Amino acid sequence: MHVKVCKFGGSSLADGNNIRRAAEILRADETRRYVVVSAPGKRFSGDVKITDQLYECYREAAETGSCVNAFAPVRRRFLSIVEELGLEHFDIASILDECERQIIANKSADFTASRGEYLNARLIAALLGWDFVDAQEIIYFNERGMFDEARSYRLIERRLKHCKNAVIPGFYGMDAWGCVKTFTRGGSDISGSIIARGVNAELYENWTDVSGFLACDPRIVNNPQKIGVISFKELRELSYMGANVLHADAIYPVRKGDIPIRIKNTFRPMDEGTLILPSKKYVKHGNRVTGIAGKKDFTVIFLEKQLMNAEIGFARKVLSVLEKDGINFEHMPSGIDTLSLVIESKYLAGGVLDTLIGQIKEAVNPDYVRVLEDIALVATVGHGMTASVGTSARLFTALSQAGVNVRMIDQGSSEINIIVGIDNADYEKCVRAIYFEFFSNATEADE
Ligand code: ASP
């Protein structure tokens, strides 16, 4: 039989009503056999996510040896969810007591934060009458703290093949020393992807509070087009540049297993959402551009040296300096005698930039060094660009007509994206100009 793995995010499970809605969705399709759940998220703007409240518990416990104050809102939230759901026979009070005790005894931020997912999974399993399978039994990290694929997939397959249905908490697993370890924030998306791969699902359904990806940020363009279908490669480019419906690392496990992801809206389950497909299953759609995303606050270090092209090892020496200082670079466009490093400005604060330039001068003795600060990057992404002539001409004409000064250009070798570096101040104007060039019938968002 076909198997779907579902993951519900925190806003989809924030209170009893929403959890009931999620349960209906799960029951409506018997191929939805396994569900990965987040901790309850915000119920309204200004509300506190359970995970954030749990980090508060960790701080209180570390300082005072008790977390009685910070744990009280966690307790209240779970008690009220259980009451709303009418789960009288589910003894949440004892489970909460045990959690509070373990948080104090464990003294671990990861363990404490993981309890939101744990508690939610326990109560959702009780509501559905499904098995509860703890993530720490089946998702493992190795000695270097990396996800241990081989071991985890073996355990997932072995453990879940005997469960008709199971609820699994997201966000955490077990490290090589037997302690709970979490992924980075939003990591339940990764857990869902891992479970989908582990049971070789036909589809990974990721249920959230939006109807999929949009072609650009709706704060910049009013009501941008929805992305119906997107490839993993395109999504990787867009999520890296800031489109954040799905955790960027959630792509890998399913991508390796050629398992598609569908983003669905818990509050509008009839909406199609966005289907994310492996490249070989991806059929090109009408648009040559699939989406536009970007980020502000980069610094470009521009180096020039005569006959740089003939100096073997120039780039290596520059990159060794970055490596030694542990600084990540985003892009490195180069010309015959020029090379630029594009780095997120946050890594260069507090005098790091000056030190870095000093070290680069020492390493490669450039003729000229220039620094451009407050640069934004905007990526225009789409498989359709590969085959069609004139995409960049249209893009740059649109930018020049909008009066956007392009400070840097980088076209990835995969040809599915063109990245432009512009002043931070031109960011919104740039995104709009590209959007209106490639997507018609749109109106500008109010500024
Ligand atoms: N609850 C965790 C967080 O808030 C993980 C998740 O929801 O995916 O980051």
Side-chain angles (χ1 to χ4, degrees), residues 7 9-10 38-39 49 51-52 113 117 170-171 184-189:
K7 178 258 166 180
S38 282
K49 289 182 178 185
T51 309
D52 290 318
E117 273 66 17
F171 190 36
T184 50
R185 294 300 303 268
S188 300
D189 285 341

Side-chain angles (χ1 to χ4, degrees), residues 189-251:
D189 285 341
I190 310 174
S191 313
S193 177
I194 290 170
I195 300 295
R197 173 87 194 284
V199 300
N200 198 14
E202 58 157 334
L203 181 68
Y204 171 30
E205 278 184 349
N206 190 293
W207 291 83
T208 177
D209 55 1
V210 291
S211 295
F213 283 89
L214 298 171
C216 79
D217 187 337
R219 289 167 300 186
I220 301 177
V221 171
N222 250 340
N223 212 0
Q225 269 186 29
K226 289 197 181 107
I227 300 180
V229 183
I230 186 170
S231 74
F232 280 121
K233 262 196 195 152
E234 291 173 328
L235 181 65
R236 164 84 182 128
E237 305 280 350
L238 289 174
S239 352
Y240 187 71
M241 290 296 280
N244 55 10
V245 175
L246 186 74
H247 193 299
D249 294 343
I251 297 172

Side-chain angles (χ1 to χ4, degrees), residues 18-140:
N18 291 357
I19 291 178
R20 204 173 288 120
R21 196 191 310 261
E24 267 166 37
I25 291 171
L26 289 166
R27 288 195 189 107
D29 175 350
E30 61 168 20
T31 66
R32 293 181 177 136
R33 287 183 45 196
Y34 306 113
V35 61
V36 171
V37 298
S38 282
K42 292 186 181 181
R43 291 157 293 183
F44 43 83
S45 92
D47 194 15
V48 179
K49 289 182 178 185
I50 286 295
T51 309
D52 290 318
Q53 190 59 35
L54 285 163
Y55 281 116
E56 213 36 64
C57 293
Y58 169 71
R59 278 188 283 276
E60 188 185 333
E63 271 167 33
T64 68
S66 141
C67 60
V68 64
N69 295 319
F71 197 69
V74 176
R75 185 182 289 277
R76 274 200 302 275
R77 178 88 84 95
F78 281 105
L79 286 172
S80 83
I81 291 177
V82 166
E83 195 186 311
E84 270 178 89
L85 292 171
L87 288 173
E88 291 92 15
H89 304 298
F90 180 65
D91 186 8
I92 186 79
S94 314
I95 302 175
L96 284 162
D97 288 344
E98 178 61 12
C99 271
E100 187 175 348
R101 197 192 59 69
Q102 288 178 327
I103 288 171
I104 296 161
N106 243 287
K107 300 187 176 60
S108 142
D110 281 17
F111 175 82
T112 307
S114 74
R115 293 306 87 185
E117 273 66 17
Y118 170 82
L119 288 161
N120 225 14
R122 293 278 315 254
L123 77 86
I124 292 168
L127 174 73
L128 289 162
W130 290 12
D131 292 342
F132 165 79
V133 175
D134 200 340
Q136 69 186 55
E137 290 173 44
I138 51 177
I139 294 184
Y140 274 79

